[in-house]
Amino acid sequence: MFRLLICDDHPPIRTALRLLARQVDPTSDVTETGNARDLVEVLRGRRDFDLLVLDLQLPGMSGLSVLSEVKQLRPELAVLVLSADESPQSVDAALQAGASSYLFKSASETVLFQALKDVCGRRLALPESITAKAGGRGRAIPDDGLSLSARQRDVLNCLLHGMSAKQVARTLGLSEGTVKSHTVAVFRALNVSSRAQAVVEAHRRGITLGC
């Protein structure tokens, strides 16, 4: 059963996402909130969610601030940002702040359905326009060519979940210095220089999120 948490202040959006989630997996457990305060309360009470779908334009609080607080509470939780803001700068900021995926609200129902299907399968979801501007190679390619150790892959997985270096260190039982060294190796293998670029490249390579 896939456990989905939706935070959006527009009820029609929440309803559409709930229905799409049930199409992807009829057994989906869907919880809805309409503001940041309720979202935080839900996360403090439950720790079993697989995915948070988060609107960045929430009333009374910056979406990036909400995302930061979410990652402090649940660093391992995958976050899919669903936003009307389609600027590359906003996508980059959200990925840097800890989002695992990002989609535009202007996306068709088919695209949203596929995105939810992807994230249910622990794959990343990003707009084609973003991956194309970043030099996308069209279809996703397997990640078999990455020369990473098992520990470096663990670090990559944590980074794709949006964890900070401190959170990765705590999760894997490593020093922050070791995490930073592994991160440098991961970035070098992916030929990127930031977390946001790593998420985009991982999406192109079809790299999945571990549990």
Side-chain angles (χ1 to χ4, degrees), residues 16-207:
L17 289 169
R18 182 178 70 249
L19 293 175
L20 286 173
R22 296 269 163 76
Q23 289 180 40
V24 172
D25 180 358
T27 67
S28 293
D29 174 11
V30 182
T31 300
E32 301 174 29
T33 65
N35 58 70
R37 181 187 61 194
D38 290 346
L39 170 63
V40 170
E41 287 304 310
V42 169
L43 288 176
R44 284 175 175 161
R46 284 186 60 177
R47 300 191 60 84
D48 60 347
F49 291 109
D50 298 300
L51 174 73
L52 165 64
V53 178
L54 177 66
D55 180 13
L56 283 187
Q57 283 79 40
L58 292 172
M61 190 173 183
S62 160
L64 291 179
S65 297
V66 177
L67 179 55
S68 178
E69 187 163 358
V70 166
K71 299 310 294 187
Q72 288 297 319
L73 283 171
R74 291 287 311 280
E76 78 286 357
L77 179 62
V79 179
L80 165 62
V81 166
L82 183 63
S83 177
D85 190 339
E86 301 189 7
S87 69
Q89 294 82 2
S90 294
V91 177
D92 185 82
L95 297 179
Q96 293 284 23
S100 304
S101 301
Y102 194 113
L103 282 182
F104 303 147
K105 284 191 173 182
S106 63
S108 67
E109 184 174 303
T110 300
V111 171
L112 290 174
F113 174 82
Q114 185 59 50
L116 285 177
K117 187 176 180 180
D118 285 343
V119 295
C120 280
R122 299 193 177 279
R123 293 181 293 275
L124 303 170
L126 292 171
E128 287 187 10
S129 60
I130 297 300
T131 55
K133 286 179 181 177
R137 292 182 287 268
R139 301 182 62 83
I141 61 175
D143 64 324
D144 299 342
L146 286 180
S147 300
L148 296 176
S149 68
R151 212 44 162 167
Q152 288 165 351
R153 286 182 181 272
D154 289 340
V155 170
L156 172 59
N157 183 54
C158 288
L159 294 175
L160 296 181
H161 275 86
M163 296 187 194
S164 67
K166 183 177 294 185
Q167 291 165 340
V168 175
R170 185 163 57 245
T171 298
L172 299 181
L174 303 172
S175 70
E176 287 190 52
T178 299
V179 169
K180 290 177 181 177
S181 295
H182 285 325
T183 300
V184 169
V186 167
F187 285 179
R188 185 181 298 117
L190 291 172
N191 194 27
V192 300
S193 58
S194 71
R195 179 199 302 275
Q197 292 172 1
V199 174
V200 173
E201 182 62 17
H203 171 270
R204 287 207 302 258
R205 287 174 176 264
I207 296 174

